[in-house]
Amino acid sequence: DPSSPCGCARTGAAKHRCQDCPLVCREGTEDPAQSYDDEFRIRLREGISLDQLSLSQPAPPETPPLLIPLRTRNLTEADGARLTYAATNLEGLLSLSSNGSRVRLRKRLTGTSSALRRSLKVSDSARILAVLNGKDEVLEGMWPFSARSRLVSALSAMSVLGVTGPTYSVYELDPASHRTYMAMRHHKMVQEIDSAGLLPIPNLYWREGDERDIALWGDFLNANPQIRWITRDFSRDKHAATFDVHLDGLVRVLRRAGREFHVFALTGPVFGNKAVRRLAEVGCTCSIVTARPVLAGLKGRALIERGGRVEERILSGTLSGSSLAVENLSRVENLLLKTAFRAGVSAQPTLLRQGSLV
């Protein structure tokens, strides 16, 4: 593959640390007995291409709420019981071994529905979305067949509502060869999630700068009319310009598909409003999946709406910790509900209304 670097693509202390590098290049391999071409072919065989992906995605039971919080394990049980939906990411499901060589299911999870919900501080009736995003070392540790098989099996026993496709790295600065087999890993794991009888939610992301991928996703959705739930991970988009580029790409995919979808958008409340508005323009609903309201509350920060935007402020008052986190969830949810109403799309809250929060 001529797109791969002839020599080490790393600099500084990381240069020539092949054992810590996921890239395949011509200068170094994990196994000295293998050639570059051998190793690259092995990586390609491990995954599948998008045109090989076939999903059955059963009819979703309902339209999820506009806001689905992450990091609910930091709430009190009383506050968590007010949530009808919650999400958990790989950080909440897996832990790295001390030497970072493998991952394992977190000890508090015994592979049962009640254990998962206890760990997330929500009621037994709460619906749980499993979001397979996390740090690169956890995603890499999850990839060996035995590790991902154990995770998929555990998720089956936990009665999760659905499982998103993993966010493997496809960044523009990485070689095209690396981006190719990372995308193929996503397709392979979504296929395995589907085969296990779980509800698979493909993660629509593409190799940076490759317009062909955007067209391929649109064609894939056209060829699979049974798919109604999709996800897009915007969590790395910290600036409006980058977020807008990726949101525009998603909107082009959905226009090409030409039907209604529900999108699980992994982004914070700052960009959440824009996502609700833009997706409504193509007839789609969405859920904003975020940890920010909870994390801000735990740090003693309130999320305040100003001119349709969300800002963090330290306010004087009696609320702190879990109570402030739930207050933040309420404020963000109300803002998103107003945006959805103005955009003319139906939306549901995630918080059970039990009177004033303060």
Side-chain angles (χ1 to χ4, degrees):
D1 174 31
S3 71
S4 294
C6 294
C8 183
R10 304 305 191 193
T11 59
K15 192 171 184 64
H16 292 142
R17 290 182 61 85
C18 302
Q19 71 276 13
D20 300 326
C21 181
L23 301 181
V24 177
C25 75
R26 299 181 185 277
E27 189 173 2
T29 63
E30 294 177 3
D31 184 351
Q34 286 181 351
S35 70
Y36 159 82
D37 291 330
D38 289 337
E39 188 170 347
F40 185 59
R41 289 192 188 98
I42 290 171
R43 299 283 182 99
L44 291 179
R45 285 198 299 268
E46 288 176 343
I48 61 173
S49 60
L50 187 57
D51 60 4
Q52 294 175 299
L53 178 58
S54 176
L55 300 179
S56 61
Q57 197 181 83
E62 61 194 35
T63 300
L66 254 179
L67 178 64
I68 301 180
L70 284 158
R71 289 294 294 265
T72 62
R73 65 182 183 273
N74 297 109
L75 301 177
T76 65
E77 290 184 3
D79 287 331
R82 294 186 53 190
L83 297 170
T84 58
Y85 271 71
T88 182
N89 57 13
L90 287 177
E91 181 186 1
L93 294 168
L94 301 174
S95 62
L96 275 172
S97 60
S98 56
N99 62 5
S101 62
R102 60 188 179 88
V103 297
R104 54 176 174 262
L105 199 67
R106 288 198 176 274
K107 292 180 180 179
R108 63 177 177 271
L109 303 178
T110 59
T112 66
S113 172
S114 58
L116 174 63
R117 284 157 178 78
R118 279 197 307 271
S119 73
L120 297 177
K121 305 293 180 64
V122 296
S123 69
D124 285 343
S125 62
R127 295 192 180 275
I128 307 299
L129 177 71
V131 177
L132 301 190
N133 79 333
K135 295 179 179 179
D136 286 346
E137 55 265 32
V138 177
L139 284 161
E140 196 67 27
M142 180 183 71
W143 178 244
F145 179 72
S146 60
R148 64 181 194 266
S149 295
R150 286 194 298 270
L151 176 60
V152 170
S153 177
L155 290 172
S156 297
M158 293 174 186
S159 301
V160 297
L161 174 67
V163 186
T164 72
T167 308
Y168 281 105
S169 304
V170 289
Y171 310 132
E172 191 169 9
L173 295 178
D174 287 335
S177 57
H178 178 76
R179 288 179 275 156
T180 296
Y181 60 72
M182 287 291 114
M184 293 175 71
R185 282 185 176 187
H186 165 272
H187 308 334
K188 177 70 172 181
M189 192 157 186
V190 171
Q191 185 80 76
E192 292 171 347
I193 291 165
D194 183 59
S195 298
L198 292 159
L199 194 156
I201 308 173
N203 187 357
L204 270 63
Y205 70 124
W206 41 86
R207 293 170 291 185
E208 293 284 344
D210 197 330
E211 288 293 321
R212 294 171 301 175
D213 278 8
I214 294 176
L216 286 171
W217 270 118
D219 293 343
F220 170 80
L221 293 176
N222 272 325
N224 291 272
Q226 75 281 5
I227 296 176
R228 293 290 178 175
W229 282 8
I230 58 177
T231 189
R232 169 70 203 197
D233 189 345
F234 297 101
S235 59
R236 287 182 60 90
D237 296 336
K238 307 304 181 185
H239 302 288
T242 308
F243 174 80
D244 289 344
V245 167
H246 291 151
L247 182 58
D248 286 344
L250 177 61
V251 167
R252 293 204 303 277
V253 170
L254 299 179
R255 280 205 175 104
R256 192 178 183 99
R259 66 176 184 275
E260 181 180 340
F261 292 91
H262 186 82
V263 181
F264 295 92
L266 276 62
T267 186
V270 171
F271 298 140
N273 255 357
K274 186 179 292 186
V276 172
R277 287 195 302 267
R278 289 295 311 280
L279 292 171
E281 292 173 3
V282 287
C284 296
T285 55
C286 75
S287 296
I288 304 302
V289 184
T290 177
R292 188 178 172 198
V294 173
L295 293 178
L298 295 173
K299 295 176 182 177
R301 294 179 175 271
L303 298 184
I304 305 297
E305 177 192 352
R306 292 188 185 277
R309 290 179 54 83
V310 175
E311 300 177 359
E312 277 192 23
R313 291 287 185 269
I314 299 177
L315 300 180
S316 60
T318 58
L319 288 180
S320 63
S322 180
S323 297
L324 183 54
V326 175
E327 175 72 2
N328 285 340
L329 287 170
S330 180
R331 288 192 180 112
V332 172
E333 182 173 80
N334 287 336
L335 174 61
L336 294 174
L337 287 169
K338 286 191 291 184
T339 300
F341 177 77
R342 293 179 186 131
V345 294
S346 61
Q348 299 297 322
T350 192
L351 278 168
L352 296 173
R353 304 297 172 181
Q354 297 180 345
S356 174
L357 291 172
V358 295

